[in-house]
Amino acid sequence: MNNQRSFFLNVDWLTVLLYLALCTIGWFNIHAAVYDENHQSIFDMDTEYGKQFIFIVSALVIGIVILLLESRFLSALAPFIYIVTVLLLLLVLVAGHNVGGNQAWIDMGGGFRLQPSEFAKFATCLLLARYLSATNVKVTDPKSFLIAGGIILLPMVLIKLQPDDGSTLVFCSLIFVLYREGLSAYFLVIIGLLATLFISSLLFNAWYIIIVMIVVLALLLFMFGRNRKFATGLIIGFVVAVGFVFAVKPLYQHVLKPHQRVRIDEVLGLSKDLRGVGYNQNQSKIAIGSGRVWGKGYLQGTQTKYSFVPAQSTDFIFCTVGEEWGFAGSVVVLGLYLFLLLRIIVIAERQRAPFSRIYGYGVASIIFCHVVINIAMAIGYMPVIGIPLPFISYGGSSLWSFTTLLFILLKLDSSRMGLSTDRY
C-alpha cells in the first residue's frame, strides 16, 4: 500500500496534465479539420477524430503500463528495443505500405498502419542513453563519439531510404544530447555557420559572401591574431568555408531531388508557385492569418471546413488552431509546448542517474525539433517535409511513440530516489 502511494506521489503529474491538455487540443482540432456533417459525433469510429479517441485511450494505457514497469528493465532492454526497431525499418523497405511517396508503413489490417520510424526515436534515445552512461565512455573521446554517432546514424539511413526526410532530420536534434554530455560548443557553432553559408550561397553571389568573410576574418585576426593556434584555426576554417560556398550550388543541383529543390526555393523566395508546390503552405498561411486575434470559432473555419489545406489533420494541423482559435489560441498551444519542454529539462537535470538525465535530454530534443519544424513549415519558414505536431496531429504511431518517449522519462523520474548514481 505504501509503495503504491509513493508511486503516485512521485509521478510528475504536472507533466501528465500538460500531456493530456495537448492530446485533448489535438483531438478537438482533428475533429474540426476533417469534420463531416454526416458524422457529427466526435466519437464516431468511422472518422479520423473517432479513431484518434481510440489512439488517445490506448496511448494512456501504454503510459500506465510503462509507469508500472521496473525502471532497470528500461536500460537493460534498450539494445533489444533498438534491434527490433531496426529490423522493422528493414522490413518496411522490403514489404512496407507506400503512403504519399514514402514506403514507411506496415499494414496491420482493419485500416490501421504502423510507422516504425516513429518508434525508432525513443529506441534510439534509450540506446544512446545506455551507451553514454556506461563507465569510461566520454563523448569527447573520438571512439565514443563515433559509436554514439553510429547509434544515431543507423536509423537515420534506413529512414532516409524510405524516403522520409522529415523523420530523418529529427534525429539530427540528438546533437544537443551530445552537447549536454560534453561535446564542444564549437560543433554547434560550425553547424550553425554551415547552415548560414548554405542559405546565403543560394541567395547571393558567391563573391559577395567571400568579401564579407574576408572582412570578418581580418577583424578576428586583428583582435585575436596573437594567439597563433587560434589564428591558424581561423585561416584553415576560412579556406574550408570558401570551398563550401563554391560547392553549394553544384551540390544543390546534383544531390537534392527536383521536388526538394523546388520546396527550398519556394521558402527562400527564389520561386513562387502558389498553385503547385507552394499551394499547401500558401493555404496554410491564409488559414492562420484569417484567424486574426481570437479566431473564427470552433468548427467555423472556412479554410478548414472546405478542405483547402491538404493533410490538415496531420502535417498542417496547426493551421486549424490558427484559423479557429486565432493568435490567442496559437499562443496557448505554443505556451503549453514551451512549458512542457522546460518541465522535461527540469526533470532531466534533477536525475541522479546519468542514464535518466541523458534520456531526458533526448526526449526534449526530439519534441523540440518536431514542434519547431512543424510550425515553421505551417507558417512558411521551412520547406514542407511531412512531420507531425507532437500529441496534436492525427495518427496512432505518432501518438503512441511520443507517449512512450515521455512516459519512460516520467517512470525514470518517479524512481530516481531508488536508482544508483553510477549508471542507471
Side-chain angles (χ1 to χ4, degrees):
M1 187 70 177
N2 289 334
N3 288 337
Q4 289 180 346
R5 183 180 180 184
S6 176
F7 164 77
F8 283 107
L9 287 175
N10 289 337
V11 171
D12 194 278
W13 292 107
L14 178 57
T15 303
V16 175
L17 288 174
L18 291 169
Y19 162 80
L20 291 174
L22 288 168
C23 287
T24 303
I25 289 170
W27 183 31
F28 278 96
N29 278 281
I30 291 167
H31 182 232
V34 293
Y35 180 72
D36 186 347
E37 291 285 351
N38 298 319
H39 301 273
Q40 296 185 18
S41 173
I42 197 171
F43 298 100
D44 193 323
M45 295 302 134
D46 291 328
T47 63
E48 287 187 358
Y49 34 92
K51 292 177 182 177
Q52 187 70 9
F53 174 71
I54 298 298
F55 296 152
I56 292 172
V57 172
S58 56
L60 288 172
V61 172
I62 291 171
I64 293 170
V65 170
I66 291 171
L67 292 176
L68 293 174
L69 290 175
E70 172 59 45
S71 297
R72 295 180 185 274
F73 289 158
L74 296 171
S75 176
L77 291 174
F80 173 75
I81 295 171
Y82 184 85
I83 290 170
V84 169
T85 304
V86 168
L87 291 176
L88 287 174
L89 291 174
L90 289 170
L91 177 62
V92 161
L93 296 177
V94 177
H97 187 81
N98 194 298
V99 178
N102 293 339
Q103 189 166 319
W105 304 83
I106 296 175
D107 198 340
M108 305 296 291
F112 291 94
R113 293 189 290 263
L114 194 69
Q115 189 175 10
S117 60
E118 291 295 331
F119 300 96
K121 295 165 188 175
F122 72 80
T124 303
C125 287
L126 279 172
L127 187 60
L128 185 65
R130 177 184 167 91
Y131 175 70
L132 292 178
S133 63
T135 307
N136 298 325
V137 171
K138 294 182 178 180
V139 75
T140 52
D141 177 62
K143 180 181 177 182
S144 299
F145 176 76
L146 288 174
I147 293 175
I151 291 172
I152 300 170
L153 190 62
L154 178 56
M156 284 182 67
V157 171
L158 294 176
I159 293 169
K160 175 62 180 174
L161 292 174
Q162 293 177 0
D164 184 349
D165 296 328
S167 295
T168 303
L169 183 61
V170 167
F171 284 83
C172 296
S173 68
L174 294 176
I175 188 72
F176 293 113
V177 178
L178 303 182
Y179 170 70
R180 172 60 182 83
E181 293 307 305
L183 185 68
S184 174
Y186 285 121
F187 280 90
L188 298 182
V189 173
I190 290 171
I191 292 172
L193 288 175
L194 289 176
T196 302
L197 285 176
F198 175 80
I199 295 172
S200 300
S201 299
L202 295 177
L203 293 174
F204 307 106
N205 185 284
W207 288 108
Y208 295 156
I209 300 171
I210 301 301
I211 292 172
V212 173
M213 289 169 54
I214 291 173
V215 173
V216 173
L217 176 65
L219 289 172
L220 290 174
L221 288 175
F222 177 76
M223 292 187 292
F224 306 107
R226 293 182 181 180
N227 186 328
R228 292 186 178 181
K229 185 177 180 180
F230 183 74
T232 302
L234 278 177
I235 294 171
I236 293 173
F238 173 78
V239 174
V240 172
V242 170
F244 180 77
V245 168
F246 283 112
V248 165
K249 287 188 176 178
L251 290 173
Y252 184 70
Q253 293 295 328
H254 296 98
V255 174
L256 293 183
K257 295 179 180 179
H259 74 275
Q260 294 172 326
R261 295 199 302 269
V262 171
R263 288 175 178 176
I264 295 174
D265 288 347
E266 188 75 22
V267 171
L268 295 179
L270 297 175
S271 66
K272 287 293 180 184
D273 184 12
L274 300 183
R275 294 186 178 182
V277 71
Y279 176 81
N280 290 12
Q281 279 188 328
N282 185 56
Q283 293 299 322
S284 177
K285 289 190 288 185
I286 291 172
I288 293 171
S290 66
R292 299 192 177 183
V293 178
W294 302 110
K296 297 176 180 177
Y298 187 54
L299 298 180
Q300 301 303 312
T302 52
Q303 293 290 113
T304 296
K305 184 179 293 183
Y306 298 112
S307 303
F308 283 105
V309 185
Q312 193 159 346
S313 64
T314 53
D315 299 342
F316 286 94
I317 190 68
F318 187 74
C319 74
T320 303
V321 177
E323 182 178 24
E324 300 203 343
W325 304 106
F327 177 76
S330 300
V331 168
V332 169
V333 171
L334 290 173
L336 288 172
Y337 277 122
L338 178 60
F339 198 6
L340 177 64
L341 287 168
L342 291 174
R343 193 66 193 163
I344 290 172
I345 292 173
V346 167
I347 291 173
E349 285 295 338
R350 73 186 182 193
Q351 300 306 304
R352 301 173 66 223
F355 172 82
S356 303
R357 182 190 66 245
I358 296 166
Y359 179 79
Y361 271 90
V363 175
S365 298
I366 295 292
I367 293 177
F368 173 78
C369 187
H370 266 271
V371 172
V372 170
I373 292 177
N374 180 277
I375 294 178
M377 181 182 69
I379 61 179
Y381 283 98
M382 284 196 70
V384 177
I385 54 177
I387 188 171
L389 190 59
F391 313 115
I392 291 183
S393 290
Y394 170 76
S397 294
S398 172
L399 182 59
W400 295 334
S401 171
F402 282 117
T403 299
T404 303
L405 188 73
L406 182 62
F407 274 76
I408 286 176
L409 177 62
L410 291 175
K411 176 57 185 177
L412 293 171
D413 180 60
S414 70
S415 306
R416 70 183 184 278
M417 299 310 293
L419 298 178
S420 63
T421 58
D422 53 356
R423 178 174 176 178
Y424 302 111

